[in-house]
């Protein structure tokens, strides 16, 4: 269970507040207008931005002050999820040991993750020699070997086409299901939320609202969400 | 405000910066404490101060004055080899001074090519010893630098402005008034200040082409007080004056210069519709041709004179060459050990003190630091026994400002782009440095190392101060051969030095870019 206990995340002068819990194993979409604080929230949970008030707890353990790499978190960013000068194998291996000194068992784990994400045979390629979808798969393979209970996605598939994006989201959903990880994904698109999320956290003007069941929230949007989604008339304009 | 987490610690960089600061400030302090201020400056010292400022002023004015038309010609013409010519103009930066001086003597000296040509018409030969020789050599070195600086100003005028000017029917005169003068007003003061600051600390040129009461720079006077009179008090006093002058000039240059150093991206295609008249085309062609000849002839002369002698060089020259390679290797290693941690620290946002320490090298001259180190070492050990390590160290500190200028922007880029991912993977510290920072910075490291190696290889400064008769680097050996009037051997050794410097630069720079992805 992820508990945000009156948490305030600072991004320069901008802050995002959150005070709620997310049950373990949940799949949560974080949606809201751009500039509202979605990325600030997940970067605070991942440890990249300072928490200036409240606490963050994972399974009752206070992780507020822990450095990013020591948190129970695996994160995918909007871009730059792979090191361009390292091979797929090395990039994935970093998820096991950051100094890449892998034993046979660990190498086998890397190979299994690469095969699971459909990249078998491409181990020695560098990211530039992969398609956009394959790059996403390589990053997901690394998330898989990292084996962290909390998976944060900050729109890593935004640059992919709609079909490919759906394919990746389905893969993420499957992987989360298999590993039992808790998933939080930032999204602009309510359809993404409907597709794989059972809960939605709405973020508006630096305030993250407690999670609500996806269908319930999207079918009966509160005014703030309505403004973001746009009324049917304004959508046709 | 709370800081973002960072993938590398600041400790090593701050340590390196502290070491550099202690070295430079320590030697300056030693100089100030040892200076016999009560004695005051003698007439010869005042002459050295006056000459130093005079030659630096003339060198700056002439270099920049000539660079403006040459840069304008390069900016508004497109021709085969233009890129190569602009690249060639970066070469004097790493050209050993002693090699250039020998080349200039071969072209403009008493028995040089120009004097021979004058002889055919019954005219007296030229002499390039004294003020005009010193200024000639400085113009040789700084005309290309000034041209590149000013050309950069031209290239920064957006192509759209020229299109707009053409649309309005502007000719060369209007373009000058509308576009070029405002740009020059911005760029020229910086170029003047940079060249002036460089020429203030000129030692090797003054050592070879100057000398005597009428053509001695402060730097040379320090050397003479040291070597001939062994008057440490006077050397320290002169060093103190030099510090004041160079610090003032460095501050001036930093303030006035928006960009310096061998820059990149000098070939953006700008189409020009003005200045197509035959007269202007001929004028630009002549300017570019003359500038190219002025730069290429001395190098050609070194090659022409050096080739016959290079195979029969005495063993002493080869020994000196080996010493130079060792000093250059040591200096390059030292430089990287200082510059890389400093660049990483700056990149993670802890800039202030570290960047300042990197700049200190600009405010001190090699002979001043050499004097200071001599004063510090002398009571503890024989400074002459440490001549080579001290030379390598001073060379590294002198190359540091340039190396940081190359390394810091790239380090910032790498940390900004990959720092977060590395943190998320818990690969801070050494794994980040080894797996990400160093591989991503390889081209810049190669370039900086190449510059440092070539600068150290060609340096004739501190080594002249410290060396004993049976230990020499190659530049010192060339100078000694010149002093003994063994000009053919000197030319052969100079050619060897030229090859070694260029090879060191080329190998390291290429090594950095070999198989490196963008």
């Amino acid at each position: 269970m992820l508990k945000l206990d009156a948490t305030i995340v600072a991004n320069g002068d901008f802050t995002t507040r959150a005070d709620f819990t997310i049950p373990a194993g949940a799949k949560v979409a974080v949606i809201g207008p751009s500039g509202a604080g979605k990325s600030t929230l997940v970067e605070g949970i991942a440890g990249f931005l300072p928490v200036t008030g409240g606490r963050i707890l994972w399974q009752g353990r206070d992780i507020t002050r822990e450095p990013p790499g020591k948190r129970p978190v695996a994160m995918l960013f909007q871009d730059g999820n792979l090191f361009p000068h390292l091979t797929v194998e090395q990039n994935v291996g970093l998820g096991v040991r950051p100094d890449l000194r892998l034993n046979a068992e660990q190498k086998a784990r890397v190979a299994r993750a690469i095969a699971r994400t459909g990249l078998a045979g491409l181990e020695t390629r560098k990211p530039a020699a992969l398609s956009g979808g394959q790059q996403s798969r390589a990053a997901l393979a690394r998330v898989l070997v990292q084996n962290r209970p909390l998976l944060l996605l900050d729109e890593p598939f935004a640059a992919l086409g709609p079909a490919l994006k759906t394919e990746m989201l389905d893969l993420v959903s499957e992987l989360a299901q298999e590993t039992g990880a808790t998933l939080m994904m930032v999204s602009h698109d309510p359809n993404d939320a409907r597709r794989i999320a059972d809960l939605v956290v709405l973020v508006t003007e630096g305030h993250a609202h407690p999670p609500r069941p996806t269908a319930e929230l999207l079918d009966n949007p509160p005014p703030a969400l309505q403004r973001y989604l746009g009324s049917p008339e304004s959508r046709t304009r | 405000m709370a800081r973002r987490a960072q993938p590398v610690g600041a400790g090593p960089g701050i340590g390196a910066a502290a070491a550099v600061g202690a070295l430079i400030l320590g030697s300056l302090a030693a100089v100030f404490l040892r200076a016999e201020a009560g004695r005051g400056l003698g007439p010869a010292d005042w002459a050295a101060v006056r000459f130093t400022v005079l030659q630096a002023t003339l060198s700056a004015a002439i270099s920049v004055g000539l660079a403006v038309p040459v840069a304008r010609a390069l900016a508004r013409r497109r021709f085969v080899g233009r890129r190569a010519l602009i690249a060639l103009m970066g070469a004097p930066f790493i050209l050993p001074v002693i090699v250039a001086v020998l080349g200039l003597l071969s072209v403009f000296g008493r028995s040089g090519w120009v004097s021979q040509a004058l002889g055919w018409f019954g005219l007296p030969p030229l002499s390039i010893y004294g003020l005009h020789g010193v200024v000639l050599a400085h113009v040789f070195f700084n005309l290309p630098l000034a041209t590149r600086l000013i050309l950069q100003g031209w290239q920064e005028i957006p192509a759209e402005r020229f299109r707009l000017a053409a649309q309005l029917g502007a000719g060369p005169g209007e373009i000058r008034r509308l576009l070029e003068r405002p740009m020059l007003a911005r760029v020229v003061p910086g170029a003047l200040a940079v060249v002036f600051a460089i020429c203030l600390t000129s030692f090797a040129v003054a050592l070879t082409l100057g000398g005597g009461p009428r053509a001695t720079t402060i730097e040379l006077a320090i050397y003479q007080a040291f070597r001939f009179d062994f008057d440490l008090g006077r050397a320290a006093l002169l060093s103190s004056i030099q510090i004041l002058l160079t610090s003032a000039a460095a501050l001036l240059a930093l303030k006035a210069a928006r960009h310096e150093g061998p820059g990149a991206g000098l070939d953006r295609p700008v189409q020009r519709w003005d200045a197509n008249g035959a007269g202007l085309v001929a004028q630009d062609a002549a300017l570019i041709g003359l500038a190219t000849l002025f730069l290429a002839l001395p190098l050609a002369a070194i090659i022409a004179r050096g080739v016959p002698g290079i195979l029969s060089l005495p063993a002493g020259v080869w020994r000196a060459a080996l010493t130079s390679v060792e000093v250059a290797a040591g200096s390059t290693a030292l430089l990287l050990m200082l510059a890389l941690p400093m660049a990483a620290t700056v990149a993670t946002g802890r800039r202030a003190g570290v960047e300042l320490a990197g700049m200190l090298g600009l405010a001190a001259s090699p002979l001043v630091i050499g004097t200071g180190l001599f004063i510090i070492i002398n009571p503890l050990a024989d400074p002459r026994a440490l001549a080579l390590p001290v030379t390598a160290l001073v060379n590294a500190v002198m190359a540091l400002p340039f190396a940081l200028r190359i390394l810091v922007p790239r380090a910032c880029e790498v940390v900004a782009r990959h720092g977060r991912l590395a943190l998320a993977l818990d690969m801070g510290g050494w794994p980040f440095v080894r797996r990400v920072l160093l591989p991503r910075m390889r081209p810049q490291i190669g370039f900086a190392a190449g510059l440092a190696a070539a600068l150290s290889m060609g340096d004739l400064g501190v080594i002249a101060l410290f060396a004993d008769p049976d230990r020499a680097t190659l530049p010192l050996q060339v100078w000694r051969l010149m002093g003994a009037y063994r000009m053919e051997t000197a030319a052969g050794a100079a050619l060897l030095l030229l090859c070694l410097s260029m090879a060191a630069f080329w190998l390291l720079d290429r090594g950095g870019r070999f198989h490196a992805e963008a």
Side-chain angles (χ1 to χ4, degrees):
Chain A
M1 183 174 80
L2 177 71
K3 184 172 170 62
L4 301 173
D5 180 11
T7 309
I8 300 173
V9 184
N11 189 356
D13 292 336
F14 177 79
T15 58
T16 298
R17 287 163 293 125
D19 189 16
F20 52 78
T21 59
I22 287 170
K27 297 194 185 102
V28 185
V30 181
I31 65 173
S34 66
K38 303 187 295 292
S39 293
T40 302
L41 176 67
V42 292
E43 289 202 23
I45 297 171
F48 293 110
L49 291 175
V51 172
T52 52
R55 297 182 304 162
I56 302 174
L57 298 116
W58 174 253
Q59 310 291 40
R61 182 164 68 92
D62 188 344
I63 58 167
T64 318
R65 304 280 158 232
E66 287 193 8
K70 304 288 182 203
R71 299 191 181 201
V73 170
M75 180 159 178
L76 290 184
F77 308 104
Q78 283 183 8
D79 51 20
N81 286 305
L82 298 173
F83 292 114
H85 58 289
L86 300 181
T87 64
V88 168
E89 208 169 16
Q90 287 173 315
N91 266 298
V92 176
L94 287 173
V96 183
R97 274 193 73 149
D99 60 5
L100 281 183
R101 289 193 200 123
L102 307 187
N103 60 30
E105 186 272 325
Q106 289 166 327
K107 280 185 186 149
R109 236 170 84 204
V110 168
R112 277 200 302 277
I114 290 174
R116 172 64 187 88
T117 49
L119 290 179
L122 303 179
E123 290 85 352
T124 55
R125 294 253 189 116
K126 293 192 178 169
L130 298 177
S131 70
Q134 288 169 333
Q135 290 175 4
S136 299
R137 287 172 183 275
L140 281 174
R142 194 187 55 229
V143 166
L144 204 52
V145 297
Q146 274 183 283
N147 200 17
R148 304 279 170 97
L150 184 54
L151 175 53
L152 303 181
L153 306 186
D154 189 1
E155 300 193 89
F157 313 127
L160 302 178
L164 205 48
K165 187 172 95 171
T166 311
E167 193 184 318
M168 287 303 143
L169 286 174
D170 289 347
L171 180 58
V172 166
S173 177
E174 282 169 43
L175 295 180
Q177 200 80 49
E178 286 167 30
T179 57
T182 308
L183 174 68
M184 272 183 95
M185 59 167 217
V186 173
S187 178
H188 276 105
D189 187 351
N191 291 325
D192 292 353
R194 279 196 200 273
R195 189 167 185 91
I196 66 169
D198 23 73
L199 295 172
V200 169
V201 167
L202 175 65
V203 184
T204 52
E205 292 165 4
H207 181 69
H209 301 266
R212 308 248 324 259
T214 306
E216 183 193 309
L217 185 75
L218 291 180
D219 292 341
N220 269 313
L225 181 56
Q226 221 162 30
R227 271 197 303 281
Y228 168 59
L229 296 173
S231 59
E233 300 90 272
S234 69
R235 245 176 289 169
T236 56
R237 244 188 279 154
Chain B
M1 194 194 90
R3 285 191 182 283
R4 275 175 170 268
Q6 293 295 351
V8 268
I14 291 173
V20 171
L23 176 75
I24 295 178
L25 296 178
S27 35
L28 297 193
V31 159
F32 276 126
L33 291 175
R34 189 68 178 74
E36 291 168 19
R39 204 163 59 171
L41 292 180
D45 303 327
W46 277 116
V49 173
R50 274 198 308 274
F51 179 77
T52 302
V53 175
L54 174 67
Q55 60 81 18
T57 309
L58 283 176
S59 303
I62 295 173
S63 299
V64 174
L66 293 175
V68 169
V70 174
R72 180 173 56 213
L74 283 170
R76 66 187 179 189
R77 305 294 163 203
R78 292 290 173 275
F79 52 93
V80 180
R82 178 177 175 274
R83 227 174 215 286
L85 180 60
I86 293 172
L88 184 74
M89 290 192 160
F93 188 75
I94 53 169
L95 183 68
V97 175
I98 192 80
V99 172
V101 165
L102 254 183
L104 287 168
L105 279 172
S106 304
V107 176
F108 298 103
R110 181 163 284 276
S111 52
W113 295 348
V114 174
S115 292
Q116 281 172 19
L118 288 175
W120 299 332
F121 301 101
L123 292 167
L126 300 172
S127 164
I128 59 165
Y129 289 99
L131 175 64
H132 56 289
V134 170
V135 171
L136 177 76
H138 284 163
V139 171
F140 174 81
F141 275 102
N142 293 304
L143 172 61
L145 173 68
T147 302
R148 282 175 68 121
L149 287 177
I150 294 170
L151 182 58
Q152 212 165 338
W154 245 290
Q155 317 259 168
E156 276 169 11
I157 302 177
E160 295 75 24
R161 299 277 166 77
F162 287 107
R163 208 170 52 187
L164 180 60
Q167 163 71 27
L168 297 171
E174 285 82 18
I175 293 241
R176 200 165 300 169
R177 201 160 44 77
L178 280 173
L179 300 178
E180 297 180 338
R181 279 220 192 115
M183 181 278 292
L184 288 174
R186 204 162 38 84
V187 174
V188 162
L192 278 172
V194 167
V195 176
F196 180 79
I198 291 174
C199 294
L200 268 191
T201 59
S202 174
F203 171 67
V205 166
L207 178 70
T208 46
L209 294 175
R214 293 162 56 100
T216 296
T217 59
I218 301 176
E219 205 79 348
L220 183 57
I222 296 172
Y223 167 78
Q224 287 166 348
F226 218 110
R227 290 295 286 200
F228 301 156
D229 314 329
F230 203 74
D231 187 346
L232 265 184
R234 186 158 161 258
L237 183 62
L238 285 162
S239 296
S240 306
I241 294 166
Q242 178 75 316
I243 294 164
L244 296 181
L245 269 179
T246 45
S247 315
L251 280 180
L252 197 73
L254 283 178
K255 241 185 143 120
R258 281 177 55 256
H259 26 234
E260 70 251 55
L266 288 172
D267 221 15
R268 182 145 28 101
V270 175
Q271 247 187 299
R272 296 283 296 260
W273 293 267
D274 59 306
N276 284 332
L280 286 177
V281 172
Q283 179 197 319
D284 285 353
L287 277 167
I288 293 170
L290 280 175
T292 310
L293 275 182
F294 178 57
L295 296 179
L297 274 183
L299 292 180
I302 277 295
I303 294 170
R305 279 185 83 179
V307 164
I310 199 166
L311 290 175
S312 53
L313 287 175
V317 170
W318 291 109
R319 250 196 326 274
L322 187 63
T323 305
S324 271
V325 171
E326 285 165 6
V327 169
S331 177
T332 307
L334 268 175
L335 171 87
L336 291 179
M337 271 155 46
L338 293 172
L340 283 171
M342 286 171 77
T345 300
V346 174
T348 53
R350 284 152 285 202
R351 334 180 54 106
V354 175
E355 284 204 312
L356 186 68
M359 298 298 230
L360 277 180
L362 293 177
S365 75
L367 263 74
V368 170
I369 297 187
T371 307
L373 287 178
F374 193 99
I375 293 169
I376 295 171
I377 295 171
N378 207 19
L380 307 170
D382 177 13
R384 294 196 161 73
L386 295 171
L388 298 181
V390 166
T391 301
L393 179 64
V394 173
N395 287 344
V397 170
M398 287 295 140
L400 189 60
F402 303 105
L404 286 177
R405 201 163 272 271
I406 296 164
L407 295 173
V408 163
R410 178 62 175 171
C412 291
E413 219 176 288
V414 172
V415 169
R417 185 152 168 67
H418 302 297
R420 246 180 5 167
L421 176 56
L423 281 176
L425 296 170
D426 196 21
M427 61 186 302
W430 179 238
F432 178 75
V433 171
R434 187 168 93 92
R435 292 283 175 189
V436 182
L437 194 61
L438 294 182
R440 300 303 293 166
M441 289 182 69
R442 204 156 55 109
Q444 288 72 25
I445 293 172
F447 184 41
L451 281 186
L455 286 175
S456 174
M457 189 85 77
D459 178 59
L460 177 55
V462 185
I463 186 67
L465 209 56
F466 278 48
D468 51 41
D470 36 60
R471 205 191 321 248
T473 59
L474 192 49
L476 187 61
Q477 190 69 21
V478 173
W479 178 60
R480 285 177 179 167
L481 288 167
M482 283 168 69
Y485 293 102
R486 294 171 59 189
M487 295 311 266
E488 296 317 308
T489 316
L495 180 58
L496 178 63
L497 175 58
L498 176 65
C499 295
L500 284 176
S501 293
M502 295 299 153
F505 174 75
W506 188 83
L507 277 176
L508 288 166
D509 184 42
R510 244 333 121 89
R513 280 184 289 164
F514 185 69
H515 277 199
E517 291 105 271

